[in-house]
Each structure stands twice: as C-alpha cells, then as structure tokens.
Amino acid sequence: MGNVVEAARRALGPAGVMLPVSFTGLPPAAAQREAAVRLSEAGWPAVWTNEVVGGKDALVQLAVLLAATERTVFGTAVANLWAREPQTLHAAAAQLAEAYPGRFVLGLGVGYPAQAEGTGRRFGSPLATVRDYRERMDAPTAPPAPEAAYPRLIAANGPKMLALAGELADGALPAGVPPEFTAEARRVLGPDKLLVVCLPDVTEETAAARVAAQRAAGADHVVLMLPRDGDFAEGAAKLVALHEVVEAGR
C-alpha cells in the first residue's frame, strides 16, 4: 500500500463535508474563510469543494482556505479536467501539497460534454480522455513542478472508470451511489486504494445512517453534501451541526 494512501486515510478520517455548492453565485472569500474555520473548529477533519468550469477555480479557492486553517484537509470533488492543462493541474496541486503537507487531496473528473464544448474542445470518449489527461499530468515542464506527493483520485461512477482509477490513480471518488456500488468499487479497487464517496442531499436525520452504510460497504471516507443553491452561511451552519450528529452515530 502506498504511503500516500495510508497518510490520506489517517488525515481524512471517516467523514468530511462539501462546502455548500451554488451555480448561481460565489460567496465572498471572507465568508468562505469563516466557514472553513468554523467547520475545522467543529471537528470536521476534511472539507471538499466543487469546480465550475469558467466560474470558479477550485485550486485557487483551496489555496485561500488552506491558508485560513491549520489542520484541516481540503480536497477537490472534483477538479474538472477541461478547466486547465494537465501539467498546469499537477503543478498547482504539487505546490499546494508542498506548502501544506498532508492537507490536500486531488479529485479529478471528466465532467460533461457541455463543459468540453464550452472550452472549444470535443468531449470524445471519457475513458480515453481521462487516461490521456492523467498520463500527461506528469509530463516534463520548465520549471519542473515541486516534488511533493498528493493523493490523486478519479471520479468514477461506472465499472470501466473504476478500473481506470485503480490503474492510473490512488483511488476513486464516486458520487451519489448506493452502498452496493461502494462494495463493488472496493472489490474492483482492492484494499490498497483510497475510496472516497460523495453523498448528496444529506439531512440531519439521515446523515449518520448513510455514513455508516457507506463505511460498512468499504468506503474509506464519506463526503456529506447539502442540497445545492441554498444560502451559503445557513449551509455552513448546518454542516457544523452535522458533525455532532455523525459522531453520535459512530
């Protein structure tokens, strides 16, 4: 088992949260920093963020939030490969990993055809696109990216992408899947890969049971997500309150 996977399992813990997601507006940086600090103080070991191609750079966002906190692990769920060149993504990720050792996890996804078209490119085969992108991430650059390791996960909601994640990455990051899928993902990946599962539309009543079911099925870490496009501050407060609920259910 690679050291990067072992270290990530320890750092991430059993569950984390996704910052409230909105496709209608981006909260001010000050509000995001305040939310990240509150979530850290509440006891959440990991906080994740999404990416909107052309509307928000997830790695820039996490650079701001990493600087505002001391221990919290931050991850992308997911960084969209259409948003930047593969070498640029690796360079940015490696710089975050160097600046904040053990506190950054890269989740990478192919997204949707409309996102590719929005950048003037053709979507093509998702498997071929992800394979090509992942292989080009480590291509030489001048200057070279920092030699800092960080976990690399591939968003995978199907058997072929799961197999590719097991081959080319440190693990997989499926979203909105039942425990049965998680159990199959663990079987495909084997014990030496990191399995992070995102759960959408979590409520206070369902959070603990859903986390327990996913963990029992083989997930290393579960990301709790609220319904999207709600008020950012109210969403952050709900996530703070969820920590006690999830802990009580363990």
Side-chain angles (χ1 to χ4, degrees):
M1 186 184 302
N3 290 334
V4 71
V5 172
E6 292 178 353
R9 282 177 173 156
R10 291 193 298 269
L12 287 170
V17 292
M18 175 85 77
L19 281 177
V21 172
S22 174
F23 294 130
T24 60
L26 186 64
Q32 295 182 49
R33 284 193 291 263
E34 180 183 356
V37 170
R38 290 185 65 196
L39 292 169
S40 178
E41 291 176 346
W44 287 115
V47 175
W48 299 76
T49 190
N50 71 316
E51 180 158 70
V52 180
V53 178
K56 180 181 73 172
D57 188 307
L59 277 77
V60 171
Q61 181 185 22
L62 291 193
V64 172
L65 302 183
L66 282 160
T69 54
E70 296 182 359
R71 299 177 301 277
T72 309
V73 179
F74 288 87
T76 58
V78 292
N80 192 291
L81 60 78
W82 302 108
R84 57 186 72 75
E85 289 298 308
Q87 295 95 326
T88 304
L89 176 62
H90 171 56
Q95 287 178 64
L96 290 179
E98 180 186 48
Y100 303 99
R103 295 181 57 200
F104 174 72
V105 178
L106 176 69
L108 173 67
V110 70
Y112 307 100
Q115 294 169 325
E117 293 166 6
T119 64
R121 286 172 285 182
R122 178 177 171 273
F123 189 72
S125 163
L127 288 171
T129 298
V130 172
R131 177 180 291 278
D132 175 70
Y133 192 98
R134 173 62 189 88
E135 291 175 347
R136 288 195 293 134
M137 282 177 63
D138 295 321
T141 57
E147 294 186 4
Y150 57 90
R152 308 178 191 196
L153 309 178
I154 291 176
N157 275 36
K160 293 182 179 178
M161 196 65 78
L162 274 172
L164 191 68
E167 176 189 352
L168 296 181
D170 297 304
L173 202 163
V177 297
E180 293 78 10
F181 181 95
T182 300
E184 177 61 13
R186 173 53 70 199
R187 187 193 68 78
V188 171
L189 293 173
D192 297 340
K193 297 288 183 175
L194 191 62
L195 180 55
V196 174
V197 178
C198 291
L199 293 182
D201 301 329
V202 167
T203 67
E204 188 171 322
E205 292 75 24
T206 64
R210 293 180 71 184
V211 169
Q214 291 289 340
R215 292 273 295 162
D220 292 302
H221 179 77
V222 181
V223 183
L224 305 180
M225 304 169 61
L226 299 175
R228 74 185 195 190
D229 291 323
D231 180 80
F232 183 82
E234 290 179 4
K238 290 179 180 178
L239 294 175
V240 168
L242 270 179
H243 182 264
E244 185 174 343
V245 173
V246 172
E247 284 296 299
R250 291 180 57 190

